[in-house]
Amino acid sequence: MMVALRGASASVVLILAAFLPPLQHAQDPAMVHYIYQRFQVLEQRLEKCTETTRAYIQDFREFSKNISFMLGRCLTHTSEYKSAVDNLALRVERAQQEIDYLEYLREADICVESDEKALAEKILQEAEEEKKIRTLLNTSCDNMLMGIKSLKIVKKTMDPDGSWMKDAGSNSAKVYLLAGSRNNTVWEFANLRAFMEDSTKPGPRKLILPLSWQGSGQVIYKSFLFFHNQGTSNEIIKYNLQKKTVEDRMLLPGGAGRAPIYQHSLSTYIDLAVDEHGLWAIHSGPGIQGHLVLTKIEPDTLGIEHSWNTPCRSQDAEASFLLCGVLYVVYRSGGQGPHRVTCVYDPLGTVREEYLPNLFFPRRPRSHSMIHYNPRDKQLYAWNEGNQIIYKLQTKKKLPLE
């Protein structure tokens, strides 16, 4: 580079010399002296520029060397940092996996604990429910039906449907006649003899109800008439026969009263019953396609004590009754053939169909519109094509509760 600068200086001198006039034409020697002095100054400055450039080049070389060294160290550190970061990332990933595993174990423990707790609560609820049912149905009654011994036609009326009964909750001898599936007239007879013989004096007492009943599922219990109110789907009326006033009313829950409960008794949507345990209702329920629902009612307050979905179907059924807390459903296949109990439901599970003999009723030409059990005289009161019938029963002791 220095050679190039010297060459450039000589070139400048030559160029300037080319433009100078010849010596013989020089006007003043002093001018020539001045020009050469300026050349000397220029050469000095070029020399200084050269030295400065040389110093810059040396500095740049040192700088390049330092930069290269630092870049090398940077690459080394970058590799170290990258390795450290990769190692840290690996450790973080392993730690996250361990945390996930511990979280899984914790959730699994919680799930197991939750499942065990839910199972324990379910078992406890079932035990409490069973205890409640046993307490609810705990009476001295321990009989189950073994046969229908005989039939007695007590009276015949013109109405194909209706109900007749005694007070199932008292020792009264009075007999009540409720003719028709929709009516509001109750006939009260002094006793069974007066009911059988129309000429007996005094004659029956006529009671006009403020509301009409629906179907043939009425019962009388402790001087109160309980019936399904006509024009409503699920309202039960409690009528005081002595005061001749409506004492109370209630609505059965769910789908009660939406459809007839017996295929061969289409006017009855709610069938009330009385046994040794008190007041019951047999009806349909929501989502129970064609199956009967059994509901225990507290007669004083008309509160629901408990309900059971039974396996008994309404198809081919004509009536049902309760005896010692067990539901017996009477069927007649296709409206023909014998009347037979083919479905039995016991909330306590002590009475099953396999424990029972074939339970046939004496042959009748038509289906029953009502069959109700009276726990006082242990007989069935039935209505069949206008005939008021009494069936005597044969029973035996239930199996003991486990």
Side-chain angles (χ1 to χ4, degrees):
M1 185 174 180
M2 295 300 299
V3 173
L5 289 175
R6 290 176 179 174
S9 177
S11 298
V12 170
V13 172
L14 291 176
I15 292 170
L16 291 176
F19 287 97
L20 291 175
L23 293 178
Q24 59 272 17
H25 299 290
Q27 298 178 359
D28 189 356
M31 178 62 69
V32 173
H33 179 73
Y34 172 76
I35 291 172
Y36 281 108
Q37 284 183 340
R38 300 303 299 175
F39 281 154
Q40 289 178 355
V41 171
L42 181 60
E43 286 180 352
Q44 291 175 358
R45 288 182 177 178
L46 287 175
E47 183 67 23
K48 185 176 181 180
C49 179
T50 300
E51 292 176 356
T52 303
T53 301
R54 186 181 298 112
Y56 285 156
I57 291 173
Q58 184 64 31
D59 291 341
F60 180 76
R61 287 176 179 174
E62 292 293 330
F63 176 75
S64 297
K65 182 178 179 180
N66 292 334
I67 289 296
S68 298
F69 175 73
M70 294 178 66
L71 285 176
R73 291 188 62 186
C74 183
L75 290 176
T76 302
H77 291 319
T78 301
S79 177
E80 292 176 355
Y81 291 152
K82 184 176 182 302
S83 177
V85 169
D86 291 341
N87 186 36
L88 179 61
L90 181 60
R91 293 177 64 183
V92 169
E93 182 179 358
R94 290 177 180 175
Q96 186 62 47
Q97 291 176 353
E98 292 179 359
I99 292 173
D100 292 341
Y101 179 68
L102 293 175
E103 184 69 18
Y104 167 76
L105 291 179
R106 188 181 71 85
E107 292 179 355
D109 291 340
I110 293 175
C111 291
V112 170
E113 182 180 353
S114 177
D115 292 342
E116 291 177 351
K117 183 178 179 181
L119 180 60
E121 290 178 352
K122 182 179 179 181
I123 293 174
L124 181 60
Q125 289 176 357
E126 291 177 350
E128 291 178 351
E129 188 72 13
E130 183 178 357
K131 181 180 178 181
K132 177 183 176 182
I133 293 173
R134 292 195 178 195
T135 302
L136 180 65
L137 303 181
N138 183 23
T139 67
S140 59
C141 178
D142 58 356
N143 292 327
M144 63 181 182
L145 183 62
M146 296 303 294
I148 295 93
K149 293 175 61 177
S150 63
L151 168 150
K152 180 181 179 180
I153 299 177
V154 177
K155 190 180 181 71
K156 182 173 178 62
T157 63
M158 299 300 294
D159 297 283
D161 298 319
S163 61
W164 75 289
M165 67 208 73
K166 288 183 178 181
D167 189 335
S170 73
N171 293 321
S172 172
K174 293 179 180 179
V175 176
Y176 297 86
L177 178 71
L178 292 79
S181 59
R182 295 177 180 84
N183 204 342
N184 69 334
T185 302
V186 179
W187 295 96
E188 180 187 275
F189 297 83
N191 49 48
L192 186 60
R193 183 180 180 83
F195 178 72
M196 295 172 62
E197 300 175 3
D198 293 335
S199 59
T200 303
K201 301 298 181 180
R205 185 166 70 115
K206 184 178 181 180
L207 303 174
I208 303 298
L209 306 178
L211 301 168
S212 297
W213 65 75
Q214 169 69 47
S216 303
Q218 306 82 23
V219 295
I220 294 177
Y221 186 58
K222 296 181 179 180
S223 300
F224 292 97
L225 171 64
F226 297 86
F227 63 91
H228 177 199
N229 187 15
Q230 182 187 354
T232 68
S233 62
N234 59 343
E235 186 177 49
I236 303 300
I237 301 297
K238 179 182 180 180
Y239 182 79
N240 191 320
L241 292 171
Q242 296 178 350
K243 297 180 181 179
K244 299 181 181 180
T245 58
V246 174
E247 189 81 9
D248 203 351
R249 59 185 72 202
M250 68 169 292
L251 297 176
L252 283 173
R258 294 181 181 177
I261 54 175
Y262 308 124
Q263 182 181 354
H264 299 306
S265 184
L266 296 178
S267 64
T268 301
Y269 289 74
I270 297 174
D271 193 9
L272 299 170
V274 175
D275 72 348
E276 291 80 1
H277 298 292
L279 182 63
W280 302 79
I282 302 101
H283 56 89
S284 59
I288 309 299
Q289 298 294 332
H291 288 266
L292 307 184
V293 176
L294 180 63
T295 297
K296 183 72 176 63
I297 301 174
E298 209 293 315
D300 295 330
T301 63
L302 293 187
I304 301 296
E305 294 184 294
H306 205 282
S307 287
W308 296 266
N309 296 326
T310 78
C312 302
R313 298 182 62 85
S314 62
Q315 183 178 359
D316 289 330
E318 59 180 67
S320 67
F321 58 92
L322 281 113
L323 188 157
C324 288
V326 180
L327 177 67
Y328 298 86
V329 185
V330 183
Y331 292 86
R332 194 181 190 204
S333 180
Q336 305 293 326
H339 313 274
R340 179 183 177 186
V341 174
T342 56
C343 185
V344 177
Y345 178 73
D346 180 7
L348 294 177
T350 58
V351 177
R352 299 192 182 103
E353 294 177 27
E354 57 265 29
Y355 299 161
L356 303 176
N358 292 326
L359 298 174
F360 289 98
F361 282 75
R363 182 178 293 274
R364 300 295 301 163
R366 302 289 182 182
S367 297
H368 296 86
S369 63
M370 62 84 65
I371 300 176
H372 283 169
Y373 173 70
N374 189 307
R376 293 287 177 174
D377 55 25
K378 313 298 183 184
Q379 298 181 133
L380 294 180
Y381 289 73
W383 191 296
N384 184 286
E385 195 61 23
N387 294 293
Q388 288 76 56
I389 303 170
I390 289 178
Y391 292 107
K392 295 187 179 297
L393 305 178
Q394 180 182 3
T395 61
K396 78 169 189 178
K397 296 293 184 181
K398 292 181 181 179
L399 297 174
L401 289 173
E402 296 179 358

